[in-house]
Every structure is written in C-alpha cells, then in structure tokens.
Amino acid sequence: MVLVKSAAELATMREAGRVVAQILQAVRAAAAPGVTLQDLDDLARQLLVEKGAKSSFLHYHPSFAPIPYPAVLCLSVNDAIVHGIPDTRPLADGDLLSIDFGAHIDGYHGDSALTVGIGTIDEPAQRLSDVCKQALDAGIAAALPGNRLGDISHAVQSVCRAAGYGQPTGYGGHGVGTAMHEDPHVPNEGRPGRGLPLRAGMALAIEPMVVESGSDRHRLMRDGWTVSTVDGSRAAHWEHTIAITDDGPTILTAV
Ligand code: MF3
Ligand code: CO
C-alpha cells in the first residue's frame, strides 16, 4: 500500500532527513586513506547519539538477508555496489566509496547515499560517480504530481544508459515513511507514462546504481549482504529521500 503523508509527517521526515544529510557529510569528510570502514561506522554511531536519532539500518532484518544488518552505515568500496558491511579494512588512495545511511526520528525515516573518491581518483571513476548523481537528479526532477512512477524510472535509466553504464538488475529505490522500505518499489528502469500515478504527499527514496563496464550482473557475497559486480568492475550509488509536493519535488535528505 502506497501511503500519502500529511504535512506534519513530512516535517518530521525533513528533520530525520536533515540529520541523515549532516551525518553523511561528516562521514564523507572523514573518509580518507588509512581510515578504516569501522572507524566511519563508529563516527556515524556517535553522531546519531549526539543528534538524538536512531539508525534505520542496525538490526534491520529483511527476509532476503541471512543475518540482521550489523552496522549503521553501508560502505561499498570499488566493485561493491550496495550494502557493504563495514570492517577493519583501511581505505586506500584511489578507492571509490559509496556511503549509505538511514536514520529515524519519532519513527519517521530518512535514507540517503553518496559516492566519494578517496584521496585522488582516476577520471573514469569521477565520471562514474558524476553520471550516477546526474541520474539521481533526473529521477528527482521527474517526481511530479501527475507523472507516473515509470517517468522517474525512465529518467534514471536514460542518464545511466546514455553513458554506457550497467545497472544491477532488480535493484532500485522505495517508498519511505514509518518504515525505511515501504511501497512502492522504485525501479531504476521503466517506461515513461506507465505505472503508479504520483501524488503530492508521497515520499520516495530514489537510488540509481551504475556499473562501469556496462554489465547489469551482480552477486551476493558470502557475508549475505554485500552486493558486488560479477566482473570486478567498479560501481557508484547515489540516493535521496524526496517528497512529492504540489510545488514539485522536495529533497528531505538535504542539510
Ligand atoms: N539505501 C539502502 C536500501 O534502501 C539501505 C539498506 S539498509 C540495510 O536498500 F540495512 F538494509 F543495509
Ligand atoms: Co534506500
């Protein structure tokens, strides 16, 4: 069931989204060569306490996962696409890191991700991240009342495919509200003018993922969570939680 949120609910989601954005910025600023993924998760945990918000990810246990999620960040390095579990591995110069973070305040969630280069990254890695961000922006711009879900999906897909990138089959965004994952699923590929009619008050996470080689294939790693490319090619991932309003889309996960 796709829920339409009241103005009061969206205001609480905006608060949660602001905290998500602030913590994401802090984690991005701390991500440097030699810093471990665990260090970044520890930082996010500490900031959650300071800001009085709760993790959306920690202990989250969807039916597809063998174990509850054990961290507050998803940190996906290079060929990891999404849902990488932080460990004691140090970041290295040239790594491409996706940082995905969700938090809730008074039971309302925000979910956002960005991709950042560690130290100095090569030009193709920067382009991969930039195009993924452009796909997110295009998806957000299509989130208008009167449009349909397929308009968002098509906008995302058009940017990713025009650049020659792969998109992991089946992965996409989702509704957000009193649960991190609500209906509808927001595919990263679709046909314009098709699917659910978009209405003011809907809150969606839009999250494009791109694979450098052009392959759409992905695999689940042995930790039961990390989704990686099959050919070792690098991936990028960007995400915002947005609200559809009569004045256009509003980014809830902005500082
Ligand atoms: N943004 C990710 C998603 O919507 C967050 C996953 S959280 C996890 O899939 F807890 F499931 F890892
Ligand atoms: Co999400």
Side-chain angles (χ1 to χ4, degrees):
M1 190 181 40
V2 176
L3 297 171
V4 167
K5 277 83 182 176
S6 69
E9 289 179 295
L10 289 178
T12 306
M13 290 185 69
R14 179 72 185 95
E15 268 185 66
R18 183 176 287 109
V19 167
V20 167
Q22 288 168 338
I23 295 179
L24 262 181
Q25 293 305 327
V27 172
R28 182 219 282 252
V35 173
T36 73
L37 302 180
Q38 187 63 56
D39 292 336
L40 297 180
D41 200 67
D42 290 344
L43 171 63
R45 284 179 196 242
Q46 179 196 321
L47 291 171
L48 272 170
V49 173
E50 280 175 27
K51 296 190 181 290
K54 294 237 160 36
S55 172
S56 302
F57 294 6
L58 186 65
H59 307 317
Y60 181 62
H61 196 179
S63 53
F64 63 77
I67 56 161
Y69 194 72
V72 304
L73 295 174
C74 294
L75 297 174
S76 307
V77 182
N78 295 334
D79 60 318
I81 307 170
V82 287
H83 301 172
I85 299 175
D87 60 16
T88 55
R89 152 184 191 172
L91 289 164
D93 188 60
D95 278 345
L96 193 62
L97 172 68
S98 153
I99 307 169
D100 190 345
F101 181 64
H104 56 97
I105 292 179
D106 295 341
Y108 285 88
H109 293 255
D111 185 13
S112 183
L114 55 83
T115 292
V116 62
I118 304 304
T120 308
I121 58 169
D122 56 51
E123 191 273 330
Q126 188 61 55
R127 180 169 163 271
L128 187 68
S129 177
D130 289 349
V131 167
C132 191
K133 173 74 164 57
Q134 285 161 21
L136 172 59
D137 292 342
I140 293 171
L144 301 170
N147 271 3
R148 287 176 179 255
L149 197 59
D151 293 308
I152 296 177
S153 306
H154 183 75
V156 167
Q157 163 195 337
S158 299
V159 174
C160 300
R161 295 301 187 193
Y165 294 139
Q167 297 184 266
T169 305
Y171 281 81
H174 48 91
V176 186
T178 53
M180 170 174 60
H181 288 153
E182 291 186 349
D183 288 342
H185 174 64
V186 181
N188 285 332
E189 293 189 277
R191 292 164 67 181
R194 298 299 185 99
L196 178 79
L198 302 178
R199 288 176 54 193
M202 290 178 177
L204 303 174
I206 301 175
E207 47 181 318
M209 298 150 222
V210 291
V211 174
E212 193 173 10
S213 64
S215 169
D216 295 348
R217 297 184 64 200
H218 55 83
R219 65 189 175 124
L220 190 63
M221 303 305 278
R222 292 182 65 171
D223 63 20
W225 274 99
T226 310
V227 179
S228 294
T229 65
V230 171
D231 57 10
S233 168
R234 295 177 295 191
H237 172 219
W238 284 81
E239 174 178 19
H240 270 308
T241 300
I242 62 114
I244 298 173
T245 80
D246 288 322
D247 301 324
T250 303
I251 298 175
L252 299 174
T253 44
V255 284

